[in-house]
Amino acid sequence: MCGVVGIVGTSPVNLSLYNSLQVLQHRGQDAAGIVTVDEDDNFHQRKANGMVTEVFQQRHMLRLRGNIGIAHNRYPTAGSSSAAEAQPFYVNSPYGIALAHNGNLINSKELKEKCKKAHRHVNTQSDSEILLNILAWKISQISHDVPTTDDIFEAISGVYDEIKGGYAVVCLVLGVGLIAFRDPFGIRPMVLGEKKDENGKSEYMVASESVALDVSGFKLVRDVKPGEALLITKDGQLYSRICAKDPHLQSCIFEYVYFARPDSIIDGASVYATRVRMGTKLAEQIQKEHQNLKIDVVIPIPDTSIDIAVQIARTLGVPYRQGFVKNRYIGRTFIMPGQKQRKKSVRNKLNPIPAEFAGKNVLLVDDSIVRGTTSLQIVQMAREAGANKVFFASASPEIRYPNIYGIDMPTSKELIAYGRNNEEICKEIGADALIYQKLEDLEASVTEENPALTKFDTSIFTGEYIVPPAKDYFENIEKQRSDDAKADKAWKDSSDSEQLDIFNI
C-alpha cells in the first residue's frame, strides 16, 4: 500500500506535494519521493528512504521547481526496503516520463518479459518500474512529435490491455502534462480535486485519499472512476476517458477497515461513518449472540479501532476507556517488515493503564487480526495489567488469504485464521472470547453510507480474487513475503545507499 499525489497548478507545487505526503504518511513509511517539472521542461527529483520529514529538507524543497509534480509514499509489498526502489521512477524515452504507483501487478513476471522484447530494461524488483516501462513502450508507438489527447488515451488503453492487478497511477510526460489512471475495478482508491487560483484559473490534484486534497485547499470533485484515465495538460486543461474494457467498481473493503484515514472519503463513503457502523453492527452481534459476556469496559487498540470501539460501548451501554497509551513516534506495526520488528514494536508502541484493567472484564477492540502475534501480546498485556477476563472483537472477518492487490499481508500459512475455527483462534491469542465481524455486516457498513457501493474486493476473507492470478503466483509471493524472505532482503538492502539525492535528471 502506498500513497500517490499529482498536481497541475499555476504556481509552484512543491509545498503542496510535501503537505499531501505528510497526511498520507499512514499509507507508507518506508520511502518518499517528489518529481516536479519546471517551465523549461526539466525534471527535478528528490527521493530517499525514510519518513517525509526525514527525506525533504529545505535545500531539497528549493530545488523542486515547477508548477506540475507527482509524489509518492512507499510501503513495500514484497518486503524490500532498498533505496533503489523508492518512487517516482523515471525513463528518458519517449519524451521523458516519471511515474508513481499505488497497488500491485499480478502479472509482473510476464510483463518483464514483454519489456525485454520491447528493448526496455527494468533495473529493480519493483512492479512500478515495470509498469512505467510498459507505459513508455505504448507511448513510444505514438507517431506524432507532440502527442495528442487521443494519442495519450490510446496508449493508456494499451496499458490496460497488458497489466493485471490493483493500481492507481500518476505520471508526468514532458511536453504533455499529468496523467492519472485507476484499475478497471477501482480496487485501489484515487480522487480528483480542484481549486481556483487568484485569477480564477483551475488547478487540479489527484491523490490516494481526499484528506490530501483538504490540506492543500483543494475541494473534492469526485473519485476517479474504475478504468478511467485523466489527462491534465501543463496549461491546466482536464480531459478524461474510460480506457479499460468492461470496468465496474469493486473497491478494496480493507481501505475502510484499516488503511484509510477516518477523515477521508473514498468512493463517496466517509471512512469515519463506515467505522461507526462497523461498531454498531459488532455491538448488535454481541447483544444477540454473546449475552453471557459480562463486559465491564470497552477498550480500543489505538488508533484505527477507536471510532469502532466508541460505538460498541455506546450501543452496549458500558463505559468506554482509553486503556492503552500509544507512542505516536512509532510506525504502524502491521507494515513492519518482519516478525521480530513487529513483536518488539508492539511493546514499544503500546503501554497499558493498569487502573482501567484491574479486576474488570475487558472487551478489547481491534480493526483486524492478521498473524495473531500482536493480538496475543496485547491480550497478555491486559492480563498483566490486572484484567479479570479479556474478550477480543475484530472489526473485520477472519483473514484467511493473502492480499495480492497491494497490501503486504503474509501467505496463508502465516495467517492465524487460516485452517482454524473461532475457538482455536481464541485459544491462540489467549482470549476468553473472540468475536469477528460478519462479512455481510462489514459490507453493509459501507453500503449503508453509499448505496451505490454494492460489490467489494473481499478476497482476503473469501479467497475469491476478482483478477485471478497465475497458478504459480502464490508460490512466488510466498518466497517474497514470508518473514524469512523479508529478513534475507533486509540484510541485502542494508548494503544499499540509504538515499538517492538526485535533484536534476
Side-chain angles (χ1 to χ4, degrees):
M1 189 68 62
C2 302
V4 296
V5 183
I7 302 177
V8 175
T10 58
S11 59
V13 296
N14 54 353
L15 184 58
S16 291
L17 290 168
Y18 175 88
N19 290 338
S20 296
L21 284 186
Q22 276 201 307
V23 298
L24 293 178
Q25 187 74 84
H26 61 287
R27 299 189 68 87
Q29 301 166 13
D30 193 68
I34 293 175
V35 169
T36 59
V37 179
D38 65 22
E39 59 185 8
D40 296 320
D41 270 352
N42 294 313
F43 279 128
H44 302 275
Q45 175 174 279
R46 165 65 176 171
K47 61 179 181 177
N49 279 353
M51 308 280 270
V52 174
T53 54
E54 298 168 338
V55 171
F56 301 102
Q57 306 301 320
Q58 184 179 26
R59 67 184 187 277
H60 308 132
M61 299 300 294
L62 291 173
R63 291 167 175 149
L64 292 169
R65 301 188 300 273
N67 299 348
I68 306 175
I70 60 175
H72 184 268
N73 277 336
R74 182 168 184 265
Y75 154 56
T77 57
S80 174
S81 297
S82 169
E85 297 194 11
Q87 296 184 39
F89 285 108
Y90 161 82
V91 290
N92 68 350
S93 176
Y95 306 110
I97 306 171
L99 177 144
H101 160 228
N102 168 36
N104 190 54
L105 303 184
I106 64 171
N107 62 333
S108 296
K109 187 177 180 180
E110 172 190 335
L111 292 173
K112 200 165 187 178
E113 290 303 313
K114 289 190 176 184
C115 287
K116 290 180 181 178
K117 292 179 180 179
H119 306 290
R120 306 203 64 87
H121 175 65
V122 177
N123 199 53
T124 71
Q125 298 300 311
S126 173
D127 60 351
S128 300
E129 191 188 7
I130 294 173
L131 198 161
L132 169 61
N133 277 277
I134 293 295
L135 174 63
W137 170 38
K138 296 298 179 179
I139 291 179
S140 69
Q141 297 170 11
I142 295 173
S143 58
H144 301 106
D145 291 337
V146 179
T148 66
T149 302
D150 287 339
D151 287 336
I152 293 297
F153 286 135
E154 185 176 347
I156 299 298
S157 295
V159 172
Y160 276 115
D161 289 341
E162 299 288 351
I163 65 178
K164 296 178 182 179
Y167 47 90
V169 180
V170 292
C171 57
L172 300 172
V173 181
L174 288 183
V176 177
L178 171 69
I179 299 169
F181 55 98
R182 190 179 180 191
D183 69 78
F185 297 97
I187 298 172
R188 299 272 66 87
M190 178 175 276
V191 295
L192 170 67
E194 181 184 10
K195 70 177 180 180
K196 302 289 186 179
D197 69 7
E198 58 186 13
N199 298 316
K201 187 174 181 180
S202 290
E203 299 179 280
Y204 293 101
M205 175 190 282
V206 290
S208 294
E209 294 183 34
S210 62
V211 68
L213 309 177
D214 301 337
V215 72
S216 295
F218 287 80
K219 291 187 176 181
L220 176 64
V221 176
R222 61 179 178 86
D223 293 271
V224 178
K225 299 173 184 177
E228 181 183 25
L230 304 180
L231 168 59
I232 307 169
T233 63
K234 60 182 182 179
D235 58 354
Q237 298 298 309
L238 172 66
Y239 301 90
S240 69
R241 187 176 299 177
I242 300 296
C243 293
K245 297 179 177 71
D246 302 320
H248 66 269
L249 185 59
Q250 201 164 344
S251 59
C252 175
I253 204 164
F254 209 63
E255 288 279 356
Y256 299 96
V257 175
Y258 176 80
F259 261 102
R261 277 179 47 146
D263 46 346
S264 284
I265 298 172
I266 294 178
D267 291 316
S270 161
V271 175
Y272 171 78
T274 63
R275 288 178 183 168
V276 171
R277 285 191 169 90
M278 291 174 204
T280 299
K281 294 183 184 302
L282 259 176
E284 291 172 348
Q285 181 185 335
I286 291 169
Q287 289 173 326
K288 183 179 179 180
E289 301 178 7
H290 301 275
Q291 305 96 327
N292 61 314
L293 300 184
K294 305 300 181 182
I295 300 170
D296 297 320
V297 63
V298 176
I299 293 177
I301 298 166
D303 280 327
T304 317
S305 64
I306 288 175
D307 303 326
I308 301 164
V310 168
Q311 189 63 14
I312 290 175
R314 183 178 297 155
T315 305
L316 294 179
V318 299
Y320 165 88
R321 293 289 186 270
Q322 293 277 0
F324 292 101
V325 175
K326 181 180 178 181
N327 183 344
R328 305 288 172 183
Y329 302 98
I330 291 180
R332 305 177 91 172
T333 53
F334 176 82
I335 63 177
M336 292 289 178
Q339 183 55 33
K340 288 184 179 180
Q341 293 96 319
R342 286 189 296 271
K343 188 173 181 179
K344 182 179 179 181
S345 65
V346 173
R347 290 278 178 171
N348 292 340
K349 182 178 180 179
L350 298 176
N351 195 47
I353 301 174
E356 299 301 337
F357 292 91
K360 299 177 184 178
N361 295 337
V362 178
L363 176 65
L364 299 180
V365 181
D366 207 351
D367 49 75
S368 59
I369 305 173
V370 183
R371 294 169 179 84
T373 50
T374 297
S375 304
L376 171 62
Q377 289 183 77
I378 291 172
V379 170
Q380 289 173 342
M381 290 165 68
R383 293 199 189 281
E384 291 167 4
N388 179 39
K389 289 188 177 181
V390 181
F391 313 126
F392 204 102
S394 168
S396 68
E398 298 91 331
I399 297 173
R400 292 194 164 104
Y401 305 94
N403 182 282
I404 64 174
Y405 305 126
I407 302 176
D408 186 24
M409 286 185 176
T411 56
S412 289
K413 69 179 184 181
E414 293 179 318
L415 296 167
I416 192 171
Y418 184 74
R420 291 188 177 95
N421 59 31
N422 186 283
E423 288 185 4
E424 292 168 331
I425 302 168
C426 185
K427 184 178 179 180
E428 286 287 327
I429 67 171
D432 294 295
L434 174 61
I435 304 101
Y436 274 106
Q437 183 89 269
K438 297 181 187 300
L439 181 56
E440 58 267 29
D441 286 342
L442 177 59
E443 292 179 327
S445 297
V446 183
T447 299
E448 288 171 10
E449 177 65 13
N450 180 7
L453 301 176
T454 58
K455 292 183 178 181
F456 303 93
D457 168 41
T458 58
S459 54
I460 59 175
F461 310 124
T462 65
E464 298 173 4
Y465 296 93
I466 53 180
V467 185
K471 290 182 180 180
D472 62 346
Y473 184 81
F474 292 105
E475 181 181 342
N476 291 333
I477 65 170
E478 183 171 353
K479 294 176 182 177
Q480 293 179 314
R481 293 188 181 181
S482 69
D483 284 330
D484 288 342
K486 289 179 181 179
D488 183 57
K489 277 184 173 289
W491 181 83
K492 292 177 180 177
D493 293 341
S494 66
S495 62
D496 288 353
S497 170
E498 288 299 314
Q499 297 188 347
L500 296 178
D501 200 357
I502 305 170
F503 302 119
N504 295 283
I505 302 177

